[in-house]
Amino acid sequence: MPNDPEEREDKQGDLATERERKVEKARRYKVVFHNDDYTTMEFVVLVLMKFFHRTETEATHIMLSVHHRGHGVAGVYTKDVAETKVAQVQDFAKEHAMPLRLTAEPE
């Protein structure tokens, strides 16, 4: 039967179509603060507010995680943004004679 919908679909299925390309999601990196015995808690809170736009409450919570667990995540970003934030904070810490240690790690 030429008017059979299934038959028409089969014929239409012969049309050339572009294959859908798979786009991989950009890998995300977390900026991790590491505990040390010299950087003050107040300085860590200041950095979290200034560079990571955290509220004082959020910054205090992250700082306490660093203090008690040895590390805390300030945020998750693309690789370039995470590395830039790490560099900015390290420069700021050096200017203030603080040995603050932080890293950008794959999520």
Side-chain angles (χ1 to χ4, degrees), residues 51-105:
F51 292 94
F52 297 91
H53 310 290
R54 299 297 186 161
T55 64
E56 188 173 0
T57 302
E58 291 170 329
T60 301
H61 181 74
I62 294 168
M63 176 274 297
L64 288 172
S65 177
V66 173
H67 183 68
H68 293 295
R69 296 186 183 139
H71 58 70
V73 177
V76 180
Y77 308 93
T78 61
K79 183 178 183 180
D80 290 344
V81 172
E83 289 175 347
T84 299
K85 286 193 178 285
V86 167
Q88 289 173 335
V89 171
Q90 286 175 335
D91 290 346
F92 186 74
K94 279 181 190 173
E95 288 172 17
H96 292 84
M98 294 288 181
L100 180 62
R101 201 166 70 85
L102 65 158
T103 56
E105 302 174 5

Side-chain angles (χ1 to χ4, degrees), residues 9-85:
E9 282 180 28
D10 286 343
K11 287 180 185 174
Q12 288 175 351
D14 291 339
L15 294 176
T17 58
E18 282 188 39
R19 284 193 166 201
E20 196 175 309
R21 292 184 189 195
K22 290 186 180 180
V23 178
E24 231 177 85
K25 241 184 177 179
R27 193 167 189 188
R28 307 281 286 172
Y29 285 74
K30 53 189 175 182
V31 176
V32 181
F33 279 63
H34 302 278
N35 194 30
D36 66 67
D37 294 331
Y38 302 102
T39 305
T40 65
M41 293 179 181
E42 294 81 10
F43 187 77
V44 173
V45 170
L46 170 69
V47 166
L48 288 164
M49 291 171 65
K50 180 178 176 76
F51 292 94
F52 297 91
H53 310 290
R54 299 297 186 161
T55 64
E56 188 173 0
T57 302
E58 291 170 329
T60 301
H61 181 74
I62 294 168
M63 176 274 297
L64 288 172
S65 177
V66 173
H67 183 68
H68 293 295
R69 296 186 183 139
H71 58 70
V73 177
V76 180
Y77 308 93
T78 61
K79 183 178 183 180
D80 290 344
V81 172
E83 289 175 347
T84 299
K85 286 193 178 285

